[in-house]
Structure formats: structure tokens, C-alpha cells
Amino acid sequence: MRERISVTVTAPDPLTREGAVSQLRRQPGIELREEPGPGTVALLIEDGLDDDAFARLRRVVRSEGARAVLVVGTIRESDLLDVIEGGVSAVVWRREATGHRLVQALRVAARGDGDLPADLLGRLISQVGTLHRGTTGTTGPVLGLAPREADVLRLVADGFDTGEIAGKLSYSERTVKNVMHGLTTRLHLRNRAHAVAYALRQGYI
């Protein structure tokens, strides 16, 4: 039996919140709570991202210690890095937010991994590449990545899971997990998505 996940739901209006709660009540392994906190996964639903939305996100992640899944209608490219670096573990487009898809994202967040839609990951890579090329006065990354850490992150950015990465690099799955754990711990990164964003910003991938 899968471990139960404690989930809170925050939405811009009562109707939207009740719709999400209704979907999650029917899903096995989900325990709905009223208040976020350590060990919970916060599901945040937004049409778009304005200052109020970012304030809610920061409050949930930083002040209350919850992991976050963001369900959103649109994201400006200028906000992509802020979303990832703000502690969001997974992003789901509102148009794709079925009960099954929400549970999938919540489980990923509960494990401490990342889950971004393929089109959003592509936009993130493009945006950070532009940002990196436009940066002047830097000759290299501030903090180093070992070659195998960079290799693993490139494959994470391409959407491969742990088993696929292990096969492509001829590593064991344990080695891949140890590589990810080591670099996220050393660089104080929250999850895989944050690690990819860091590597892109620093020009490793």
C-alpha cells in the first residue's frame, strides 16, 4: 500500500478550491488537511502569477515548511526561475489538472523530486540559456559540479527518470540517487527541478 500524503489546497476562490478538494477526496492515499506544515504537500491553484500569488507561495514553502505543487493557467517566462527557486516541486497546467494528474504531481513532490510539463521545461531551458549568454563579467560557475553530476543533470533536464539515467550512463540507480542527493545537499538545492535551474543558470547544461 502506498504511503498516505497529507495535502492542503489553496485557491483564489471557494468554487475552485472545492472543485480540487472534490477531485482529491476520490483519490486513494490522499489525506486532506486545512493547514499546511512540515511533511505536507501544498497544492496551490492560480490563474496566473502576480505579487499576491508569489506571496502565498513563499508563505507556504518558507514559513510553513510545506512542499508545493503549483496548478496554473499561464506563467510568464520571466517568472519561471522564481517559481522553481521559490520551492515549487511540480507544476501542472490547469487545463491538464485531472485527479490522476494532480495525484501524480503530489506524489512527486512528496518524494522531493521535480515534475515540470515538457513545454515548460523547454521554456525554462531557453530562458536560462538566454540569461546566461547575456551575463557579462563572469568567467565561469561560482560553485563547481563534478563531471558526472553535470552528466546526470543534463539527463534530468531532458526528462529521463532515475532508471533511464542509470542505463544511459552505465551507473546503478543507487549511484544516480547518490549523485543527486550529494549535489542537492552540497548546494542547498530543494529538489531536481531546482538543481536543473541552478545548473542552467550557471551554464553547466
Side-chain angles (χ1 to χ4, degrees), residues 61-131:
V61 175
R62 297 178 184 175
S63 302
E64 299 168 13
R67 293 181 170 127
V69 173
L70 176 65
V71 179
V72 68
T74 60
I75 297 179
R76 295 186 300 267
E77 293 202 10
S78 58
D79 290 333
L80 288 176
L81 279 177
D82 290 335
V83 167
I84 301 303
E85 294 178 344
V88 170
S89 297
V91 176
V92 178
W93 294 122
R94 288 192 65 155
R95 62 182 178 273
E96 299 174 356
T98 63
H100 174 76
R101 181 69 184 91
L102 291 178
V103 171
Q104 182 183 47
L106 291 166
R107 292 197 182 283
V108 166
R111 294 195 305 266
D113 290 338
D115 183 5
L116 297 179
D119 58 334
L120 189 57
L121 183 58
R123 288 163 57 191
L124 177 64
I125 291 172
S126 175
Q127 188 214 348
V128 179
T130 301
L131 176 66

